[in-house]
Amino acid sequence: MLRRRKMHLTVGTSELDGFDVGKYPLHHFVPGPGCGGELRNRLPVYIRSAGRDEWVKGCFRHRRNSDIFAVEFVVSGEFAFTRHGRRHLIGPGGIFLGHPDGGESCMEVTSDYAEKRTVIIRGAALEGVTGALNLDEVDLLRPAAPEEFNRWLDRADAFCPNGDPHEASAFTYEFLLYLSKLAGRAGLSVEIQQAQDYLRARLDRPLRLEELCRALALSPASVYRLFARELGTTPIEYHAKLRTERAAEILASGSHSVKEVAAMLGYSSPQYFATEFRKRRGFSPSCRHSD
């Protein structure tokens, strides 16, 4: 019988703990092109690694403060993936997405054996890109043509490890755009899509709920019900999350100080900005600025 043992790993801001079972999981990953040195700091998005991994029942992962975007395509078996309290069972042909945010997610194997293909993406503009493409609230995808998605993964694999870094970065954006089209905003209502667009256009100021309600032609009670039902949060919390994501993107570029970012995004003081950032990201903005 395979022995189950605890594991813990910290990479960058990400903390990963859980359980391994015997030699599993087995990761057959290849690093992406240009993943070492200073070049990666100049690429808005890039492939950190890609490949296959094998899992068995009993394997479990709990991730906090992730700084990667992971695309996980199930080849065989079944995984359970949980994010924001929503648990999904995902079998062959399904895709689950791991997000760069200050929250938590869990993954476990529910079949005796499971295999998936994975692409891990990073980059200074990662959160801004996934946010602009409306991927930040999408957990699960089921492509109508899994064989087409496999071809996209084949293209990602082909860049690793010795492809041209700039071409790989351009492909990575194209891949994220494809995922966005595949998601179609995950079936969100027209009203919530309008609300998302409205909030994304106003990240440089605090949210005025009455103005959002007026733009949507809905009462405050209706707006709160809409956000709770479709996004599992409130409009104020959703907007605050978008602002801290934008702040993290600007800080990662290294072009502005914490004080400057606080002013750019309309926070009343650098201290209040730091409190809000730490609350949602799990670490201070000065830490992100120094990465």
Side-chain angles (χ1 to χ4, degrees), residues 23-46:
K23 64 180 181 180
Y24 295 96
L26 291 175
H27 299 293
H28 311 288
F29 290 170
V30 179
C35 282
E38 292 298 317
L39 177 59
R40 66 180 183 181
N41 297 325
R42 301 196 299 270
L43 295 174
V45 289
Y46 63 89

Side-chain angles (χ1 to χ4, degrees), residues 65-84:
N65 299 328
S66 175
D67 60 356
I68 64 169
F69 184 83
V71 183
E72 317 268 12
F73 178 72
V74 180
V75 176
S76 65
E78 184 182 70
F79 293 85
F81 178 71
T82 303
R83 179 174 179 250
H84 295 327

Side-chain angles (χ1 to χ4, degrees), residues 33-34 158-168:
F159 280 107
C160 303
N162 298 317
D164 180 271
H166 297 285
E167 290 182 6

Side-chain angles (χ1 to χ4, degrees), residues 50-69:
R52 293 176 177 264
D53 42 341
E54 303 175 71
W55 302 71
V56 295
K57 183 177 287 187
C59 291
F60 174 80
R61 290 293 185 268
H62 177 208
R63 185 183 294 274
R64 296 182 297 276
N65 299 328
S66 175
D67 60 356
I68 64 169
F69 184 83

